[in-house]
Coordinates of all heavy atoms in Angstrom, one line a residue:
Q13 N -41.1 142.3 133.5 CA -41.4 141.3 132.4 C -40.7 140.0 132.6 O -41.2 138.9 132.3 CB -41.1 141.8 131.0 CG -42.0 143.0 130.7 CD -41.6 143.7 129.4 OE1 -40.5 143.6 129.0 NE2 -42.5 144.5 128.9
G26 N -35.4 133.5 157.4 CA -35.9 134.9 157.6 C -37.0 135.2 156.7 O -36.8 134.9 155.4
V30 N -45.1 142.4 154.3 CA -45.7 143.7 154.4 C -47.0 143.6 153.7 O -47.0 143.2 152.5 CB -44.9 144.8 153.9 CG1 -45.6 146.2 154.0 CG2 -43.5 144.9 154.6
M40 N -43.7 139.8 150.2 CA -43.1 138.8 151.1 C -41.7 138.6 150.6 O -41.5 138.1 149.4 CB -43.9 137.5 151.3 CG -43.2 136.5 152.2 SD -44.1 134.9 152.3 CE -45.8 135.3 152.0
L41 N -40.7 138.8 151.4 CA -39.3 138.5 151.1 C -38.8 137.4 152.0 O -39.0 137.5 153.3 CB -38.4 139.7 151.3 CG -37.0 139.6 151.0 CD1 -36.8 139.3 149.5 CD2 -36.2 140.7 151.5
V43 N -35.5 134.9 153.0 CA -34.1 134.8 152.8 C -33.5 133.5 153.5 O -34.1 133.1 154.5 CB -33.4 136.0 153.4 CG1 -33.7 137.3 152.6 CG2 -33.6 136.3 154.9
D47 N -23.8 131.5 157.3 CA -22.5 132.2 157.8 C -22.6 133.7 157.6 O -21.7 134.4 157.3 CB -21.3 131.7 157.0 CG -21.1 130.2 157.2 OD1 -21.4 129.7 158.3 OD2 -20.6 129.5 156.2
A53 N -32.5 134.3 148.2 CA -33.6 135.2 148.5 C -34.6 135.0 147.4 O -34.3 134.9 146.2 CB -33.1 136.7 148.6
A62 N -44.6 147.5 139.2 CA -43.6 148.3 139.9 C -43.1 147.4 141.1 O -41.9 147.4 141.4 CB -44.0 149.7 140.3
G67 N -39.1 143.8 143.9 CA -38.7 142.6 144.5 C -37.6 141.9 143.7 O -36.6 141.4 144.3
E72 N -31.7 140.7 143.8 CA -30.3 140.7 143.2 C -29.4 141.5 144.0 O -28.2 141.1 144.0 CB -30.5 141.3 141.8 CG -31.2 140.3 140.8 CD -31.2 140.9 139.3 OE1 -30.7 142.0 139.1 OE2 -31.6 140.1 138.5
T86 N -30.9 151.2 151.4 CA -31.9 152.1 151.6 C -33.0 152.3 150.5 O -32.7 151.7 149.4 CB -31.3 153.5 151.9 OG1 -30.7 153.9 150.6 CG2 -30.3 153.5 153.0
E92 N -32.2 153.9 142.9 CA -31.1 154.1 142.0 C -30.9 152.8 141.2 O -30.7 152.8 140.0 CB -29.9 154.5 142.7 CG -29.9 155.9 143.3 CD -28.7 156.3 144.2 OE1 -27.9 155.5 144.4 OE2 -28.7 157.4 144.7
L94 N -33.1 150.7 140.4 CA -34.2 150.6 139.5 C -34.2 151.6 138.3 O -35.0 151.6 137.4 CB -35.5 150.8 140.2 CG -36.0 149.7 141.1 CD1 -37.0 150.2 142.2 CD2 -36.6 148.5 140.4
G96 N -34.8 154.7 138.7 CA -35.9 155.6 138.9 C -37.2 154.9 139.0 O -37.3 153.7 138.6

Side-chain angles (χ1 to χ4, degrees):
Q13 293 170 343
V30 178
M40 182 182 329
L41 179 68
V43 296
D47 296 328
E72 288 185 355
T86 63
E92 290 168 3
L94 289 159

